[in-house]
Amino acid sequence: MDTDPIAVLSSVDFSRAKSALSDLMTRVVHEHKPSIVSRHRGKERMLLVRTEDLVRYLEAFRLELEVVEDGGEVTVAVPSLGVLGFGSTREEALDDLVTELRVYAHDFFERSSFYAATDRAAHAPWLLRFALTPSERQRSLLDEAA
Amino acid sequence: MRTPTWAQIERFCRIDGWREVRRSGHVFYEKVLADGTVLRTHRSLSSRKTMSPGRFKAILRYQLVVTEAEFRQTLATRRPADRG
């Protein structure tokens, strides 16, 4: 594995990564060492990182909520993402918001080359954190802001 | 405040040039503004139901990005909203 003395993260060429994928994965997953894989002389690079580590790195990206209760309806907004959840109770609106965030996160990463070229590219850390959180714990991410 | 039905929200989106991007439970629309800003909204399938003023204001502010007057004007004139 190449280790550039200047680089902070270790980097490995694509062909070497393929032949030593098991070792590379052990390094990333068990030793918690993010690693860069590159090809075409470093023109294309990707970062491998253990998902649980990435969730921890993204912990600061908390969803800020705004709750409106009006006329027997509850609307919960994530203003920074433009996502709304609707319900007749707060709990119902929060559950709906989780569903809407799942839909948006799915669409965002499905059409990531489109969104990456727009103002919505900045939504990526919040949506990635949400997407990497197990579905049964996604609802609790909304309670962080409450 | 007189609030719209979901059918009127959909009508606004059609006049204002929003594109349907998903139909699953709700119908989702997107619009790319001239400055590249991407807007996204959805409408409930219960099209005749109205909504509370608070909910309408949240939709206007965070999704459609128009004032109530601009929303009404778009429906009345059948011309895309002028967001200044």
Side-chain angles (χ1 to χ4, degrees), chain A residues 66 68 70 73-75 77 79 82-84 86-87 96 100 103-104 106-107 111 114-115 118-120, chain B residues 6 19 21-22 26 28 30 32 36-40 42 50-55 58-59 61-63:
Chain A
E66 188 179 297
V68 179
D70 183 15
E73 289 182 347
V74 180
T75 302
V83 180
L84 304 174
F86 303 143
D96 186 53
E100 295 306 320
V103 169
Y104 179 38
H106 176 272
D107 289 356
R111 297 166 56 216
F114 165 72
Y115 285 115
T118 73
D119 62 310
R120 292 195 171 230
Chain B
W6 286 107
R19 188 170 68 92
V21 293
R22 169 188 270 269
H26 301 305
F28 291 78
E30 276 183 7
V32 182
T37 301
V38 177
L39 306 181
R40 186 178 163 98
H42 69 269
T50 57
M51 63 193 74
S52 67
R55 180 165 297 174
I59 292 170
R61 183 173 181 192
Y62 298 126
Q63 296 192 332

Side-chain angles (χ1 to χ4, degrees), chain A residues 53-96:
Chain A
D53 290 343
L54 185 54
V55 169
R56 275 207 312 279
Y57 302 158
L58 295 170
E59 209 165 85
F61 292 91
R62 299 184 172 204
L63 296 165
E64 299 290 332
L65 306 184
E66 188 179 297
V67 181
V68 179
E69 298 188 26
D70 183 15
E73 289 182 347
V74 180
T75 302
V76 185
V78 183
S80 61
L81 302 182
V83 180
L84 304 174
F86 303 143
S88 52
T89 64
R90 187 187 173 97
E91 289 307 303
E92 215 175 275
L94 287 169
D95 288 344
D96 186 53

Side-chain angles (χ1 to χ4, degrees), chain A residues 4-109:
Chain A
D4 183 336
I6 300 169
V8 174
L9 298 176
S10 69
S11 178
V12 60
D13 179 70
F14 182 76
S15 55
R16 286 192 65 189
K18 270 202 304 186
S19 61
L21 188 58
S22 181
D23 290 343
L24 182 59
M25 192 157 178
T26 297
R27 181 182 169 82
V28 171
V29 174
H30 295 286
E31 299 172 26
H32 303 273
K33 292 179 178 170
S35 297
I36 291 170
V37 177
S38 64
R39 66 179 177 186
H40 303 319
R41 295 177 184 170
K43 286 181 186 167
E44 293 182 358
R45 298 194 300 168
M46 65 178 177
L47 177 67
L48 299 179
V49 56
R50 181 181 167 135
T51 51
E52 293 88 344
D53 290 343
L54 185 54
V55 169
R56 275 207 312 279
Y57 302 158
L58 295 170
E59 209 165 85
F61 292 91
R62 299 184 172 204
L63 296 165
E64 299 290 332
L65 306 184
E66 188 179 297
V67 181
V68 179
E69 298 188 26
D70 183 15
E73 289 182 347
V74 180
T75 302
V76 185
V78 183
S80 61
L81 302 182
V83 180
L84 304 174
F86 303 143
S88 52
T89 64
R90 187 187 173 97
E91 289 307 303
E92 215 175 275
L94 287 169
D95 288 344
D96 186 53
L97 183 61
V98 170
T99 302
E100 295 306 320
L101 286 167
R102 282 181 191 149
V103 169
Y104 179 38
H106 176 272
D107 289 356
F108 186 91
F109 293 113

